[in-house]
Amino acid sequence: MRQGAEANEIVSGNITYSGIAVEAVKVDNPLQLLNPAAPPEYGSPEDNVVLDPINGKVSGLNIFSIQF
């Protein structure tokens, strides 16, 4: 895993796994991901949303994604 990886990312070689499922596996207390007053180490809610490229509004959730 590379240094500085986001809370919702796992990097293995040239492949990056990210999303809500990855973040839930990495944190000590996954219920804190639902807490709006959670400490910063649990990441930002905006890290796991999909934005509409036209208007920039949230159009979905990133449950799990793989980037090459």
Side-chain angles (χ1 to χ4, degrees), residues 31-49:
L31 290 177
Q32 285 289 358
L33 297 175
L34 301 173
N35 180 2
E41 61 261 18
Y42 290 98
S44 170
E46 289 84 19
D47 292 342
N48 292 314
V49 295

Side-chain angles (χ1 to χ4, degrees), residues 3 5 8 16 19 21 23 27 30-31 33 36-37 41 44 49 52 54-56 60-62 65:
Q3 289 230 329
N8 68 336
T16 302
E23 190 168 4
V27 297
L31 290 177
L33 297 175
E41 61 261 18
S44 170
V49 295
D52 185 327
I54 296 171
N55 61 18
L61 297 174
N62 177 10
S65 67

